[in-house]
Every structure is written in C-alpha cells, then in structure tokens.
Amino acid sequence: MSPDIDGILSASEDKLHTSSIILDLLKNDSALPWKSLADAAREGNCQIHNLTLQQLMRIDSWRSPFGQSGLLNYSLNVLLSPGASSEERVQLLRFVGNCCIDNSESTGKQAFSIYVNPPSLDKNRQILIDGDALGNLGKLLQNADLAPLASAVLFNALNDYEPAQRAAGLSMVHKACIKTITGDSLREDDGSLDEMCQVLAMVASAPHFDDIVSQDDSVSEDATSLLKYIAEVSTLGEDIDHCFSVLRSCLTFMRQESLLKHVVGDHIEQALRVVEYISTLSESPGADKLDEDQKADANAIEVELLDILARTASVVDPSVLLTSGDIVRVKLQDWLTAGEHDVPNSRFVCACLVLGNLAREDDICQDMVLQKSLHHPLIHRLRTSSDSDILAAAGGFLRSLAKPQNNKEVIAHAGGFEAIKHLLLFPVVPNLPYFGACIARQLVNGPLPNIENLLQNTEPLFLCGEEERLDHSYFAELLRCSTKSDNPNVKAETCRTIAAVCRTLNSSHVSEQRVKQIQSKVYQHSQIMTPIKFALTQSQSPVLRSEALLALGLIAKNEEGGNIVVKALVDEEMFNVLKELIIKQEAADETGIEGRLRDNALFVVVTSLKNHGDFIASETQQEIEQLLKSNDIEL
C-alpha cells in the first residue's frame, strides 16, 4: 500500500520537516508522486498523493522548505536524468517552475506561473544556478511536448534575477532559444513562443553578455539565423504580441556592439525586410485587434531597428553594401526620396546615414548626384525641416556628396547654399552650423562659380550692425554665424572655408579682372579676420594653424587684402604667434609641420611688408625688420 502522504501533510505543521519526509518517500519510490494525473486517476490511491503534492506547489509558504530540504535539488536531478520519462518530466517541470517563480511587487514584473504567482524566492533559483541546471533546461526546449513548460521554468528562473540571466548566457541558453524559435519543433499556439522570446531577451540584455558572445565564434550565426527567420516568414502568427516578442528579442540580441558589423552589416537586406514587415503588421491576421499600445510598440520597435541600422553605418565597410545587391540601395533611396508625410522621419535618417557611408566611394558618390539626384531631397529637407535629427542626417550626407569635384556645381545650382543658410539658423545645436560650414568649404574648394554663388545676396538670418546692412550674402551669414558661435568647430571650419576660397582664387585660370572682382567682395568683409584669428592663435591643431597662415599669405599677395593683413600685424595676440613661429628653434624639424608653419609665417610677414608696407605703422615695420634680421632673413 502506498505511503499516506496526505496523512503526513495534515498531521505536521513543520514544513521543512515534512518536505524532508516527502524527499525520503520519493527516494524510495520516485514514481509515486510524479505519475500523470491520468495514470494516477486509474490507479486510485495514487491520485490523492499526486493531487496533494500539486496543491502544495500552489502555496507560496511551502516553496522555501522545498528548496531547503533538498527536495528541489533532488527533483532537478530526476528531471534531467536520462532515464526520466516524459510523464515524470512534465510533473517535475511543474514543480520546479513553481518553486522558482518571481513576482516581487518592487519590480512590477509578472511571472509565468503554472498555478499561482508567489513572491520572489531567489534561494531556490540559486539552486538551479549552482546545479548547472539552466543549460539542460534549455535543451528541453527542443522537445515539443516539454517546450511550453521548459520555457516557463526558464522564464521564472531568469525573471528580474541577474545572476540567473548571466548563468543562462554562460550555459548558452540563448542558443537553445534561437534554435527552437527558428526551427520547426514548436507547435502552433502552444503558448511557449512568448516565454521563449522573453527568455532570449533577458539573457541578451544581462550585464556582461557582450563579453560572453565575444568569446563565441558561432554567435553571429545564431543572431543571423534569428534575423533571417523574421525577414523570411510572411507572418509570425495571428497573435500580434507574439510577433512583438520575437522582434524585441531579435533587437536585444542585435544591439550588442560585437554583432553590429557581422550580423546587421553583413545582412542588411534582411534587416530592411524586417522593417518592411513591421510596417505591414497592420495588414497581418489579427491586426484589426491592434490597440494604441500595440501600435506604439510597433513604432518603437521600428525606430530601434532603424537606429541599429544607422549605427552600422560607421562600422560597416562600404564594400559590404556594394555586394548586397541593388535591393538595399533602392529601398534606402525610396525612403530618402519619399515625401515627408509618406515615410517616418526615422527611415529618412537611417537612409541618410547608411547611404552616406556608401558615398565614401567616389564613383558611387558621383552617381548619387549626377544620376540619382539624391541631393535634391536632402536640400529640400534642409530648407524646410526644423527637426534637428533630420537636419543633422541630411547635412552630414550632403557634406559627403559635395566632396567630388563633379558634384560641387550641381549641388550649388540645386540650392546648396540655401540649405547651408538654413543650417546656420540653429546655433544652439552644435552640429548643424558646423555641417553648414563643412558643406560651404566643400562647395567652394575648386569651382569659381560656387564662390560667386557664395557671395550672392540672400535674406539675412541675423540682425546685423549698420555697416553690414547692405551685405546679405551667404558668405556674410557664415561669417556672422562663426563670430556669434561658441562652437570652436564652427570657427575652425569657417577658417578652412576662407582658405579654400583663397586657394581657388589663387589657382583660377579665368580672367584676372573677374578674379579681382571676386577678391574685392571677399576681402571687404570686416568679420573675415575673426575665424582666421581663432585658427591662428589656437594651439591644439597645427594643421588648422597652417590653414590660417595659408589664408593670410594668399590674402597678402593681393592688393585688395591690405586692410586684412594689417589687422593681423597690429593685433598683439596674432603678431605674437607669428613671431613665435618665425623665431628659429634649433630642435625644430624643418621638414615637418613646425618647419612648414615657420615658412608660412615668414611668407605672411615678408609678403605683407613688401606689398602693404604703406599701411603698416613705422614702429611695426621696424619690429618686423628687426625680427627678420635677428633670424638671418633678408627681405
């Protein structure tokens, strides 16, 4: 006759002692309490024992004694032993899962309880960690009969418990989840997909998971299989929440820095198809039940995936996109050229960043402008949008497109300087005026007509002084923005723009009269010296200082530039820098940057003295002559 477990339980209030008695009974007859309810019902007397133990699992006060007595550990050993039957495992999974439930009110997270939702019992969950049970539980996910219970046990063990999440990562539970999700062992509507996806997300978002995957050469294959799975299925089922679970877990996995390049970058086509899939959720089965929260979830998932795609732009070699086929470029171009009301802003930003990465290749960059006319939607957005993300993305992309010589006049003719002007409107957003100055430098570095466009009048952006009211050119607006800006990058890039203008004018092959007319317009600006002074007197970048000296030297060669170079020589701070550069240093490398800076400083001073000596005070002239003489330099 079977032991009277029911009598033992009703006679004792010592739960730990009672659990120990149950453990002893199990060791003597392990099949007794774990037979399925159907078998127990047929065998009569066993039913009461089975039901009694099942009832105990629903009472939270019994779970801690189950762990302390060793009953939980014994149950795990039986569960994971090769000789355990499927019926035993079903009952054991129920028992283990309920022993590990976490429903702490402080976290606000709901566990997947098989019966009820008791409070957190981390000591029981630690038993699973110490016994290396998590990895073996993951293996049970491949069993279609056990997958729903095994996934619920894993969820309860990992929910809001970082030690278990990290242990699951070390035990490669994420691999088991991905293999099951992307395989064909899951039965439809068995309820395990949601738990499994959340288990995957918890493992992938645990601290130090990136360290774990960085030591696993096959992890990129796992992440790729998950990405392809989502991209290739036409639907993930009628349950929209299940769709979101798969998508969220995929995003959590791809968010790891070590996977960006190898997974998202190498399989960007699949990533774009996932974006398209999200956008068509409204047409999928069950979409008529989408509530506002689900719509917000879909939008958030799409935005995050697009952000991940955009982040790959800085780490993926352009050749990867070239080998991915036209489908990627065509899709991104569609997002770029669509009207602002036809696609979300996040898609436009993503297209700018990814295509901007591709534009590093000169031939492709020219094709984007000369054949695809991608500069047009960029200029349109730059002139009409006030969204800082849109402006930054479009500005960065247009800067890349403006580099090849063949693109410069085309972009300027399409309204490039109006786009620059709009970027200058946002001085409180550091990158926007900087992008404006960068684009200006690219456009004027070579084509003389673009310098003439730079000097054309436009509506003023800023209130200006009485002496500036007649000058509303794009160049004047750039100089005013640079003067007003606290951003050193804007000042530096404006100086480089001035140097590019001077360099283009000096090397132009058009008529001398036309060049002089342009020079006269350039050099009349009273604020032209402000960015040059900044670049000359800063000490962080010798290359930037060299640009300032180049601009001053080329200005000094021109008779129209006399008023500018005189300002440089009478400005104490600027003149002191010139003197420091000229004074011969024995340790200086005459062939390196210091030597070049000294030569350029000498050129500025000597040329200014020769060409504009009449404008220089006699005291300053004498100081310059003494400086040159003391350094063995003859005029």
Side-chain angles (χ1 to χ4, degrees):
M1 186 175 181
S2 301
D4 187 6
I5 297 178
D6 193 29
I8 294 172
L9 296 175
S10 61
S12 175
E13 295 183 0
D14 187 339
K15 294 181 175 60
L16 179 58
H17 177 68
T18 303
S19 298
S20 299
I21 294 175
I22 296 174
L23 177 59
D24 290 337
L25 293 173
L26 287 173
K27 289 180 178 179
N28 293 328
D29 185 2
S30 61
L32 175 64
W34 304 117
K35 287 181 178 292
S36 69
L37 290 178
D39 288 347
R42 286 195 297 270
E43 295 181 14
N45 197 33
C46 287
Q47 182 180 20
I48 188 63
H49 310 314
N50 193 298
L51 289 176
T52 300
L53 195 53
Q54 301 293 342
Q55 289 168 349
L56 287 182
M57 290 158 51
R58 308 179 191 182
I59 304 173
D60 60 302
S61 62
W62 278 92
R63 286 171 175 76
S64 181
F66 284 163
Q68 292 175 315
S69 67
L71 181 57
L72 174 58
N73 191 58
Y74 174 81
S75 302
L76 282 170
N77 291 333
V78 176
L79 167 65
L80 301 175
S81 64
S85 68
S86 178
E87 294 174 353
E88 286 179 306
R89 284 175 171 161
V90 167
Q91 299 302 324
L92 284 163
L93 283 169
R94 291 180 183 275
F95 178 72
V96 172
N98 280 276
C99 283
C100 297
I101 290 173
D102 173 57
N103 189 37
S104 174
E105 293 182 1
S106 62
T107 65
K109 294 185 178 180
Q110 184 71 24
F112 278 90
S113 174
I114 301 170
Y115 293 109
V116 292
N117 296 313
S120 172
L121 288 169
D122 290 348
K123 289 182 179 179
N124 281 0
R125 293 195 281 182
Q126 193 63 41
I127 291 174
L128 271 68
I129 299 173
D130 296 340
D132 296 325
L134 295 174
N136 288 318
L137 286 169
K139 295 176 182 178
L140 297 181
L141 296 175
Q142 290 292 298
N143 186 316
D145 294 326
L146 302 178
L149 287 171
S151 60
V153 172
L154 284 169
F155 180 91
N156 290 347
L158 271 59
N159 186 31
D160 202 33
Y161 192 49
E162 288 185 0
Q165 294 168 5
R166 177 165 173 76
L170 292 169
S171 300
M172 302 301 169
V173 169
H174 52 283
K175 287 178 172 291
C177 290
I178 293 173
K179 184 177 181 180
T180 306
I181 291 170
T182 60
D184 54 7
S185 62
L186 279 181
R187 293 173 177 169
E188 291 186 6
D189 302 324
D190 66 4
S192 60
L193 177 62
D194 194 32
E195 296 98 318
M196 212 171 301
C197 291
Q198 294 198 51
V199 168
L200 175 59
M202 284 189 285
V203 175
S205 60
H208 310 297
F209 180 71
D210 201 37
D211 296 336
I212 296 173
V213 299
S214 65
Q215 301 173 22
D216 182 2
D217 294 335
S218 64
V219 71
S220 61
E221 297 177 7
D222 299 324
T224 298
S225 66
L226 188 61
L227 180 65
K228 287 183 175 180
Y229 167 74
I230 301 174
E232 291 171 2
V233 294
S234 58
T235 177
L236 294 178
E238 295 187 1
D239 192 329
I240 295 297
D241 288 331
H242 284 183
C243 300
F244 290 162
S245 295
V246 178
L247 291 167
R248 286 194 198 95
S249 58
C250 180
L251 290 175
T252 303
F253 210 71
M254 292 191 301
R255 201 179 297 129
Q256 307 304 318
E257 293 293 334
S258 58
L259 300 180
L260 278 179
K261 182 176 181 180
H262 299 295
V263 178
V264 186
D266 293 350
H267 300 279
I268 192 170
E269 179 180 343
Q270 281 82 8
L272 291 175
R273 289 173 63 183
V274 172
V275 174
E276 289 296 298
Y277 170 71
I278 298 172
S279 68
T280 59
L281 279 178
S282 57
E283 302 172 4
S284 63
D288 56 328
K289 301 177 183 178
L290 280 177
D291 56 31
E292 291 302 318
D293 289 340
Q294 290 172 325
K295 291 177 183 178
D297 281 347
N299 181 66
I301 290 170
E302 178 178 346
V303 169
E304 184 171 0
L305 179 55
L306 290 170
D307 178 66
I308 291 173
L309 284 172
R311 285 165 57 199
T312 65
S314 60
V315 297
V316 175
D317 191 289
S319 61
V320 173
L321 291 177
L322 293 177
T323 58
S324 63
D326 289 337
I327 185 171
V328 171
R329 279 169 283 170
V330 169
K331 178 56 63 180
L332 291 170
Q333 289 167 14
D334 288 344
W335 290 357
L336 194 73
T337 56
E340 49 261 57
H341 301 298
D342 298 327
V343 297
N345 286 348
S346 53
R347 293 194 192 181
F348 179 87
V349 170
C350 179
C352 286
L353 296 176
V354 179
L355 290 174
N357 178 47
L358 188 58
R360 287 186 284 173
E361 299 288 334
D362 282 350
D363 291 344
I364 297 175
C365 187
Q366 292 185 67
D367 180 73
M368 287 179 173
V369 172
L370 304 180
Q371 301 299 323
K372 304 294 193 303
S373 298
L374 296 187
H375 59 293
H376 284 295
L378 297 179
I379 291 172
H380 171 72
R381 288 295 188 100
L382 288 171
R383 294 177 65 174
T384 59
S385 179
S386 59
D387 185 293
S388 59
D389 292 335
I390 291 287
L391 294 173
F397 190 10
L398 190 62
R399 176 183 59 175
S400 298
L401 294 181
K403 290 180 180 179
Q405 286 294 326
N406 291 339
N407 289 359
K408 297 179 186 295
E409 290 191 55
V410 177
I411 292 174
H413 183 72
F417 287 107
E418 274 296 313
I420 293 170
K421 170 187 168 183
H422 196 67
L423 287 171
L424 302 179
L425 273 171
F426 299 88
V428 295
V429 184
N431 281 343
L432 300 187
Y434 169 70
F435 281 138
C438 287
I439 298 168
R441 175 171 67 89
Q442 295 291 355
L443 292 182
V444 300
N445 191 17
L448 192 67
N450 282 5
I451 297 178
E452 293 175 318
N453 283 333
L454 179 70
L455 297 170
Q456 287 182 354
N457 282 342
T458 181
E459 291 297 320
L461 291 178
F462 305 106
L463 294 176
C464 46
E466 189 66 34
E467 73 281 1
E468 297 169 329
R469 290 192 181 278
L470 298 179
D471 188 359
H472 299 155
S473 66
Y474 298 108
F475 187 46
E477 299 297 347
L478 176 60
L479 293 176
R480 290 177 191 131
C481 178
S482 174
T483 300
K484 295 175 182 292
S485 176
D486 295 327
N487 187 348
N489 293 326
V490 174
K491 296 180 183 294
E493 202 61 28
T494 304
C495 176
R496 292 189 178 101
T497 302
I498 296 169
V501 169
C502 295
R503 188 185 298 111
T504 300
L505 290 172
N506 186 65
S507 60
S508 178
H509 299 295
V510 300
S511 67
E512 183 178 350
Q513 180 181 4
R514 182 181 175 187
V515 171
K516 284 187 175 182
Q517 288 176 344
I518 299 173
Q519 288 174 329
S520 178
K521 291 182 179 180
V522 171
Y523 302 149
Q524 73 179 2
H525 292 87
S526 61
Q527 293 178 325
I528 195 172
M529 187 54 64
T530 303
I532 294 177
K533 178 179 178 179
F534 166 82
L536 180 65
T537 56
Q538 60 81 38
S539 58
Q540 299 298 314
S541 172
V543 175
L544 178 58
R545 178 173 280 181
S546 180
E547 288 281 286
L549 290 170
L550 170 67
L552 282 174
L554 293 177
I555 292 171
K557 286 179 60 177
N558 183 266
E559 60 183 274
E560 299 289 341
N563 63 325
I564 295 177
V565 294
V566 168
K567 289 181 179 180
L569 296 177
V570 299
D571 184 289
E572 182 177 358
E573 190 176 2
M574 295 180 72
F575 189 50
N576 285 339
V577 173
L578 292 172
K579 287 193 296 183
E580 289 173 7
L581 293 174
I582 291 172
I583 295 174
K584 195 169 186 178
Q585 301 291 331
E586 295 296 333
D589 181 3
E590 294 297 316
T591 62
I593 185 65
E594 291 184 10
R596 293 198 299 272
L597 287 173
R598 181 174 185 270
D599 292 341
N600 290 341
L602 278 171
F603 181 79
V604 170
V605 172
V606 172
T607 305
S608 300
L609 200 58
K610 284 183 177 180
N611 294 351
H612 309 289
D614 295 342
F615 299 97
I616 301 173
S618 57
E619 295 83 357
T620 304
Q621 287 193 43
Q622 291 175 6
E623 187 175 0
I624 294 173
E625 290 170 356
Q626 182 60 37
L627 174 66
L628 298 177
K629 183 178 179 180
S630 63
N631 284 273
D632 301 324
I633 300 169
E634 296 182 1
L635 285 172

